[in-house]
Amino acid sequence: MRDGRRARVGRCRGGWRRAMGRPALLLLALCAAGARGLYFHIGETEKRCFIEEIPDETMVIGNYRTQMWDKQKEVFLPSTPGLGMHVEVKDPEGKVVLSRQYGSEGRFTFTSHTPGDHQICLHSNSTRMALFAGGRLRVHLDIQVGEHANNYPEIAARDKLTELQLRARQLLDQVEQIQKEQDYQRYREERFRLTSESTNQRVLWWSIAQTVILILTGIWQMRHLKSFFEAKKLV
């Protein structure tokens, strides 16, 4: 499943690819309903991963909170003291960009340096797993990418910007993000072109090899038949 710009459910235009989880139909339904949040359930030792296409030099901010399932009351508790979440982020080359343990509620931030699919994984990692043994954990996740990661009210208050200046700042950030998206699309196009050219070249050489093998096989068969007929004195 792919959820996009915000892990609120995210960029419905691109979406996140969730490596394992609910069908993509659920994502489409949430997007159509204008849902502003994404949550999922994990087991005691389960890891849940998402893949997000991110241009290079782009800031990503993720906010999450967890709720533990109370078997007696059969409800999710509003807080989960003692539980922790481990967040790990890998870039398209498999290098670890972020690997850190947080509390039951937290915020993680990283900046991409390589364009492409980034893998974001979360799993429980607590010192009080006895409370969670055999239970379920609900994780609410909100991811913001690019200019959506900026807190503009805070920026306006800090830099003392007027409404017009703040709007201009937002437009500049949006233009910069669009430029990064365009650069990334050009990068993908170049990779696709190189892959296509490599595939075409391999197909060509394979066809040539097949033709050579067929010619050599035909020559060998003709020589073998000629030797057979000569041995039988038919020629």
Side-chain angles (χ1 to χ4, degrees), residues 80-197:
T80 54
L83 282 175
M85 291 295 295
H86 187 272
V87 180
E88 183 178 75
V89 181
K90 293 183 178 180
D91 66 9
E93 298 176 354
K95 298 179 181 178
V96 177
V97 178
L98 173 68
S99 181
R100 183 177 174 184
Q101 183 176 347
Y102 297 86
S104 59
E105 181 175 353
R107 168 179 177 148
F108 59 90
T109 305
F110 68 93
T111 300
S112 62
H113 300 291
T114 304
D117 293 339
H118 286 67
Q119 181 175 290
I120 304 172
C121 296
L122 299 92
H123 65 87
S124 60
N125 186 8
S126 175
T127 57
R128 296 178 61 185
M129 290 302 293
L131 296 175
F132 184 41
R136 288 186 299 160
L137 189 67
R138 173 179 289 179
V139 182
H140 298 262
L141 182 62
D142 179 18
I143 291 184
Q144 303 173 1
V145 180
E147 80 276 9
H148 299 277
N150 294 329
N151 188 338
Y152 286 105
E154 181 179 329
I155 293 174
R158 184 188 64 215
D159 298 340
K160 298 180 180 180
L161 301 178
T162 64
E163 183 177 353
L164 181 60
Q165 290 174 326
L166 180 61
R167 183 56 182 164
R169 173 73 176 269
Q170 289 176 317
L171 291 175
L172 288 174
D173 290 341
Q174 290 175 3
V175 169
E176 182 180 358
Q177 186 63 27
I178 291 172
Q179 181 64 43
K180 290 180 180 179
E181 292 279 358
Q182 290 177 338
D183 293 340
Y184 175 59
Q185 294 303 323
R186 281 194 290 268
Y187 168 76
R188 289 187 60 188
E189 181 183 358
E190 182 181 358
R191 285 182 57 191
F192 179 76
R193 179 176 55 81
L194 293 175
T195 302
S196 299
E197 290 177 355

